[in-house]
Amino acid sequence: MTDTQARPDAPVMPLHMQRNRFDPNPEISRYREDGEVPYLNAAFGLDAFVVTHYDDVREVLGDAATFGNTADIARRRGDTVHMSEEEAARMRAGQLLAQDPPEHTRLRRMLTREFTQARMRRLQPRIDEIVESHLDAMEAAGPPADLVADFALPIPSLVICELLGVPYADRAEFQTRSNRLLDMTLEPKERMEVARENRAYMSKLVTGAQADPGEDILGMLVRDHGDELTHDELTGIASLLLIAGHETTSNMLGLGTLALLENPEQLALVRDEPDLARASVEELLRWLSIVHSGVPRLVMADTEIRGVAIPEGSLVVCSLPAANRDSAQIEDPDRLDVRRGAAGHVAFGHGIHHCLGAPLARMEMETAFPALLRRFPTLARAETTEEVPFRAYSFIYGLAALPVTW
């Protein structure tokens, strides 16, 4: 039984979002092996062509002219919560994932320099400090501990809060909202209310930054691009960065630790061989692929994928976990092997929408995984595998908790 079927009261997840613990649903993998491009439920009552091959996923993600992100997909549903044209425009403003060139190009250009490798290297001492302080707290409290609550979640949350100028004291509030926004079991009306609450919170932070810009990313955007960005655009940018900046990395840290605990020979390599830090993170990103698919693409002109006609106006969804387990791309893809590094995976996407924060996420994980395993060389699960709660109904896969001891 897959984890996505574990709650009898919950809706059935779309096939490309179903997992069997660390693996994609076997049926979606069979579509890939059979060379099919199935037309399936893609969530919220929408159907889409699901792309599973590595090369095809890169083609879709790399061709923004044919496969667009601008589609106002939610408003094509018959059960959509009503919103005015004005509110819809405000909700889209600044959301890079809902933009195509040239608008996407304009917005991304303003952010790129804040997420360069050089900028991330300057953050390394602070990331080291944050990781060590949380390890100190875990050690002082003693076992058992919840690795998600005590380590995996607070580290990226604190980093992104400092980068954006978000008060860390508000973390419980915005973490609760982001969890609900990503919860596939929420009714549309409830999700819309959460989105409005989140936007109101971020709008207040933007107002503060406009009045007194600090040295964080929001302050930089106000100082350097205040005449080019509207208040709504700044709010949208900040909202996306805050949610993406802690949800993705925190789920990788939690799920990645469980994967290593269940593969002790791989854990030993990460713990004992410092030179494998980057390779191990790349392999974990590939093997786990916690982002199921990203944003569905709207087909802008008739095309075909693997010989299947894809009409203009239809939707295409890319299964990132299936693509990253494609044997045409990597040998023995279902085996976790931290030595190989798995360069070229699509866990961060591909093309113009490739994850802006990838350098930061890599740095956090390359620091946190080895530091955790070296501080607690006898780290082990405090519960059986069956008791570990997976986030099976979320847009971003991961663990709700990971009780550990040492």
Side-chain angles (χ1 to χ4, degrees), residues 56 63 136 145 225 233 386:
D56 298 338
D63 184 358
D136 290 344
H225 305 287
E233 287 175 330
E386 291 72 21

Side-chain angles (χ1 to χ4, degrees), residues 34-110:
D34 292 344
E36 297 185 45
V37 183
Y39 192 64
L40 304 171
N41 169 43
F44 307 122
L46 293 170
D47 293 331
F49 292 92
V50 180
V51 180
T52 57
H53 280 262
Y54 175 84
D55 288 341
D56 298 338
V57 165
R58 282 178 58 94
E59 178 185 348
V60 170
L61 298 182
D63 184 358
T66 305
F67 304 98
N69 271 36
T70 303
D72 191 4
I73 293 167
R75 302 187 71 205
R76 296 170 55 184
R77 304 195 326 258
D79 63 344
T80 298
V81 176
H82 174 73
M83 70 172 75
S84 67
E85 292 285 348
E86 181 182 0
E87 182 179 17
R90 286 201 306 270
M91 297 294 276
R92 287 194 301 269
Q95 288 287 346
L96 275 75
L97 296 180
Q99 308 289 343
D100 287 327
E103 187 63 13
H104 174 271
T105 308
R106 178 182 74 90
L107 294 172
R108 185 156 177 137
R109 172 180 54 82
M110 300 178 198

Side-chain angles (χ1 to χ4, degrees), residues 226-369:
D227 295 336
E228 304 171 70
L229 291 168
T230 67
H231 183 95
D232 286 334
E233 287 175 330
L234 284 165
T235 300
I237 290 169
S239 297
L240 176 62
L241 293 179
L242 181 61
I243 293 174
H246 77 272
E247 281 287 347
T248 50
T249 307
S250 66
N251 281 292
M252 271 299 303
L253 288 174
L255 194 62
T257 299
L258 179 61
L260 292 172
L261 288 173
E262 295 193 7
N263 291 271
E265 73 291 345
Q266 301 295 304
L267 184 151
L269 290 170
V270 177
R271 182 190 63 218
D272 300 335
E273 299 193 23
D275 290 344
L276 283 180
R278 168 56 64 93
S280 62
V281 165
E282 297 305 320
E283 175 69 347
L284 285 166
L285 284 163
R286 179 199 70 83
W287 199 66
L288 297 172
S289 298
I290 61 169
V291 177
H292 301 293
S293 62
V295 176
R297 265 52 175 186
L298 180 72
V299 179
M300 311 303 287
D302 289 351
T303 187
E304 66 175 46
I305 299 173
R306 205 160 287 272
V308 176
I310 311 293
E312 178 182 353
S314 55
L315 297 178
V316 171
V317 164
C318 294
S319 173
L320 303 183
N324 280 332
R325 298 288 189 96
D326 190 343
S327 59
Q329 164 62 14
I330 191 166
E331 184 179 354
D332 197 7
D334 292 326
R335 178 172 57 88
L336 178 66
D337 180 1
V338 299
R339 286 189 179 278
R340 62 181 161 193
H345 63 75
V346 290
F348 284 126
H350 175 66
I352 65 170
H353 292 285
H354 182 271
C355 178
L356 187 68
L360 176 61
R362 285 185 167 104
M363 178 173 289
E364 290 176 302
M365 288 185 279
E366 288 169 23
T367 303
F369 279 125

